[in-house]
Amino acid sequence: FEAAVGYRDAEERIHEPYMTAGNFYLTQGKFDAAVAMFTRAGEEGQESVLRSQYLHAEDAMRRESWREAEQAFRAAGDYSDASMRITEPYLTAGDLLLAQAKFDEALTMFALAGADGTERISLTHVMHAEALMAQQDWDSANREFALADNTEGMESRVNEPYLSAGDHFLAAGDYEQAIAMYAKAGDAGKEKILKVHYAKAEAFLAQQQWEKASASFAAAGEYILQLA
């Protein structure tokens, strides 16, 4: 076409071969080749370059090639909603891993999403903590809840593992373990400890251990006054 400039519409069609080639490569999923062709078309091919990168990103998302998708969305510039989807690959990857209870791997993905991943990072810590509570790993659950506490507006659940553990041991009649767990909850466990002493006192009464029952009632102190 360049050699035919001046003949009919040849000048207007100089870039047509590159545009045609680029569109062909797009249909084949050969995004890099398409970008190369559209680039050779100069200004006429600029939007098609960005569109190719966008389609490349969506293809990479389907293949779960997250880094590749992020780079392609970034390269797509202001095409469509590309600029708002740059972190989407990592958020999607994290969500998939979280659904499989792969907490550490999910955290890695959410961290790559920067500020967009902050809320999901806290959610991951909470879900991990809940899973650890189900396994009765109270200390680890406490640590995970503490890590989730960095999110503004999220109600603290840091003492929940120890309160749940105390309830568990109290129901089992293991009063000393119950007290130990409630004590780890600090101020949140103080009233619970008094409740344990009260339960101990009633157990000693049933066993006719009068002195121990009296001592436990004394230790229950304020809890008894609340019942009055």
Side-chain angles (χ1 to χ4, degrees):
F1 280 125
E2 289 180 2
V5 169
Y7 178 76
R8 298 179 65 178
D9 60 349
E11 186 171 358
E12 298 173 7
R13 299 181 67 187
I14 288 175
H15 296 134
E16 184 178 319
Y18 301 130
M19 296 298 292
T20 301
N23 285 320
F24 169 75
Y25 285 130
L26 273 186
T27 64
Q28 302 296 306
K30 297 179 179 179
F31 303 105
D32 290 340
V35 167
M37 288 296 106
F38 290 136
T39 300
R40 294 184 69 177
E43 187 175 343
E44 184 179 341
Q46 284 183 1
E47 185 173 356
S48 292
V49 167
L50 298 181
R51 181 167 66 93
S52 299
Q53 296 287 14
Y54 189 89
L55 294 174
H56 183 182
E58 291 194 318
D59 178 74
M61 288 283 289
R62 286 189 290 273
R63 292 185 282 106
E64 299 186 3
S65 183
W66 312 118
R67 176 64 173 164
E68 182 182 347
E70 180 263 328
Q71 290 177 330
F73 275 131
R74 194 178 295 279
D78 60 359
Y79 181 83
S80 186
D81 59 350
S83 62
M84 296 184 290
R85 298 183 67 184
I86 291 172
T87 60
E88 183 180 320
Y90 300 129
L91 296 176
T92 301
D95 288 343
L96 290 172
L97 290 164
L98 189 55
Q100 300 172 55
K102 295 180 178 179
F103 302 109
D104 290 339
E105 294 173 58
L107 286 171
T108 298
M109 288 295 117
F110 291 142
L112 288 171
D116 290 345
T118 301
E119 187 174 337
R120 280 179 166 90
I121 286 174
S122 288
L123 174 63
T124 302
H125 286 304
V126 167
M127 292 181 67
H128 193 185
E130 289 174 342
L132 290 165
M133 282 180 63
Q135 299 166 21
Q136 298 184 6
D137 187 348
W138 316 113
D139 290 332
S140 296
N142 168 262
R143 285 193 292 271
E144 289 297 320
F145 276 131
L147 289 169
D149 271 357
N150 295 324
T151 302
E152 185 177 350
M154 179 176 285
E155 184 179 352
S156 177
R157 296 178 63 185
V158 69
N159 291 319
E160 188 174 320
Y162 297 132
L163 295 176
S164 295
D167 292 346
H168 168 79
F169 288 119
L170 178 57
D174 191 339
Y175 302 117
E176 299 311 317
Q177 278 286 6
I179 289 172
M181 290 295 110
Y182 289 141
K184 286 188 174 185
D187 289 344
K190 284 183 177 179
E191 185 174 341
K192 295 271 194 176
I193 290 174
L194 299 180
K195 182 180 178 180
V196 176
H197 286 301
Y198 189 85
K200 283 177 65 177
E202 290 192 318
F204 286 137
L205 271 180
Q207 298 166 14
Q208 298 183 0
Q209 297 188 48
W210 317 120
E211 290 185 5
K212 289 183 178 180
S214 177
S216 292
F217 275 131
E222 295 177 9
Y223 183 75
I224 295 175
L225 292 176
Q226 291 174 19
L227 295 176

